[in-house]
Amino acid sequence: MESANQDINLNSPNKGLLADAMTDVPVDNAARGAAPVGLTLAEEEELRAELAKVEEEIGTLRQVLAAKERHCGELKRKLGLTPLDGLKQNLSKSWHDVQVSNAYVKTSEKLGEWNDKVTQSDLYLSASSTLEDWNEKLTQSEAYKKTQETLSQAGQKTSAALSNVGSVISRKLGDMRNSATFKSFEDRVGTIKTSIRANGLSDM
């Protein structure tokens, strides 16, 4: 097998592929055997020439595509786009493609039709009416009204209790601040502060 570092044969139908993966094998007419059924030798030669040309174009397009993908990757890296951003964009595009697809549109239409049929059916209307009746009876019942009243009173009592607790705490703090002990403590803190300031100034 030839070295992988050799120059790519630009006339090869395998142009653009790895050298060690595929190598050019010359094919002569004798090795080919007879022409396929229904083809003359001239037609076969013409088709083989066209095949070689198409394979060469495919190889060139692969090289161009690889270069474009590298350039695209560099642009994304410079813009700070991560593979996750690409994945999100692909998912978003895929979901959009699904939404505009014929299958999705037809399914949505069918579901809409089924929904209309269900909501307009006698069974649905009867069930809906029954639920509304139950709801009205429940909200008008004595048990419901008593429960609502009890919860309202409990809320008012809780609010009043919290308000009383706040008032008591405020009053206690005021009493404590006016007490002789607290004033004595404040005097001591003031003396210590004065002493620290005096010592700090004297050291300067």
Side-chain angles (χ1 to χ4, degrees):
M1 185 179 286
E2 297 177 353
S3 169
N5 296 325
Q6 75 176 25
D7 293 336
I8 296 175
N9 181 359
L10 297 179
N11 295 323
S12 166
N14 301 321
K15 179 177 134 188
L17 300 176
L18 294 175
D20 57 352
M22 296 183 73
T23 56
D24 291 334
V25 178
V27 180
D28 57 16
N29 290 338
R32 267 188 234 143
V37 178
L39 288 179
T40 65
L41 197 56
E43 288 173 336
E44 182 187 357
E45 289 297 329
E46 185 180 341
L47 290 175
R48 288 189 184 280
E50 187 177 348
L51 175 62
K53 183 180 177 184
V54 170
E55 287 178 340
E56 183 178 352
E57 289 172 353
I58 290 170
T60 303
L61 290 172
R62 281 184 182 144
Q63 290 176 343
V64 170
L65 179 61
K68 292 286 184 186
E69 285 177 342
R70 282 194 302 273
H71 185 58
C72 180
E74 290 170 8
L75 292 174
K76 285 181 178 179
R77 184 180 50 78
K78 288 178 181 177
L79 288 170
L81 298 174
T82 64
L84 183 60
D85 294 323
L87 179 62
K88 287 179 182 175
Q89 187 176 359
N90 288 341
L91 288 174
S92 177
K93 184 181 182 304
S94 298
W95 176 238
H96 177 264
D97 292 344
V98 167
Q99 287 180 309
V100 297
S101 68
N102 286 337
Y104 183 88
V105 171
K106 286 180 181 177
T107 303
S108 296
E109 288 173 357
K110 279 290 180 191
L111 288 173
E113 290 172 12
W114 289 344
N115 182 59
D116 289 343
K117 287 178 181 177
V118 168
T119 54
Q120 298 302 321
S121 68
D122 292 338
L123 179 63
Y124 179 88
L125 294 172
S126 174
S128 179
S129 176
T130 303
L131 287 173
E132 286 177 7
D133 289 345
W134 287 350
N135 181 57
E136 189 175 346
K137 287 176 183 176
L138 177 64
T139 54
Q140 297 301 322
S141 68
E142 290 299 320
Y144 180 86
K145 289 178 180 177
K146 285 181 180 177
T147 303
Q148 199 172 32
E149 188 178 328
T150 303
L151 289 173
S152 176
Q153 289 174 358
Q156 290 172 1
K157 287 178 181 177
T158 303
S159 178
L162 289 174
S163 177
N164 288 339
V165 168
S167 299
V168 169
I169 290 172
S170 297
R171 192 172 63 250
K172 289 289 183 188
L173 287 174
D175 293 345
M176 187 175 81
R177 193 173 171 114
N178 292 327
S179 69
T181 306
F182 189 83
K183 287 186 177 178
S184 172
F185 176 74
E186 273 188 320
D187 291 342
R188 286 181 188 166
V189 170
T191 305
I192 292 169
K193 283 167 114 180
T194 305
S195 174
I196 289 170
R197 283 186 189 144
N199 288 336
L201 291 172
S202 65
D203 290 343
M204 292 178 66

